[in-house]
Amino acid sequence: LAATNEQGRRWMMPMRLPEKLPDGVLQSWEQTFQPGEEQLTLLADLPAHVPPGLVERLLADCHSLGAYQSFWRRGVTLHAHVEGLRLMVWMDATGEGKASGRSHRLELKVRGSTAKRREMA
């Protein structure tokens, strides 16, 4: 993953990022929900064996959608290039797989004003 800001380009390697979700990310996400906004949430249940590199590739591909805000090994939040849209993408182990083979859930949340609904989809 790479992000460019006023200090130049900075590189992030998902496999070297902390496994744990950074403190305050979920609270910050919930607190930024404004009146007149809506959220589209997509959930995908994945099997216990997720192909190697799937999450890393997905997070790396998010760079074309906007500017990274926070990131960890299994997820990212960002401000989209479409003004006012914010995204959160992450994968979590659910523990509900066959014989607790720890299946996974991929979650994508897109948040923005109701007027931008068409651009969220």
Side-chain angles (χ1 to χ4, degrees):
L1 303 175
T4 304
N5 59 21
E6 57 277 354
Q7 288 103 20
R9 180 169 266 187
R10 117 185 137 158
W11 294 89
M12 294 149 286
M13 298 176 67
M15 73 281 288
R16 297 203 180 234
L17 291 173
E19 182 79 35
K20 186 176 181 261
L21 181 85
D23 292 336
V25 170
L26 289 179
Q27 294 82 0
S28 174
W29 179 261
E30 295 305 322
Q31 291 171 355
T32 59
F33 200 69
Q34 302 292 323
E37 286 188 329
E38 55 187 30
Q39 178 172 295
L40 173 66
T41 302
L42 300 171
L43 300 171
D45 289 323
L46 303 173
H49 177 71
V50 176
L54 175 75
V55 175
E56 291 83 359
R57 288 182 186 140
L58 177 63
L59 298 180
D61 284 344
C62 286
H63 83 280
S64 64
L65 300 175
Y68 295 114
Q69 297 302 302
S70 57
F71 35 85
W72 59 104
R73 192 175 302 179
R74 301 246 175 230
V76 64
T77 61
L78 53 95
H79 285 274
H81 292 305
V82 177
E83 184 179 337
L85 292 184
R86 296 180 306 281
L87 288 95
M88 177 185 278
V89 180
W90 66 317
M91 188 175 82
D92 196 17
T94 64
E96 299 170 1
K98 287 183 181 177
S100 206
R102 306 245 344 145
S103 63
H104 297 85
R105 172 166 285 161
L106 182 64
E107 191 167 335
L108 167 65
K109 296 180 180 185
V110 181
R111 182 180 290 171
S113 71
T114 304
K116 302 244 183 218
R117 180 182 299 167
R118 184 176 306 276
E119 294 163 20
M120 279 198 269

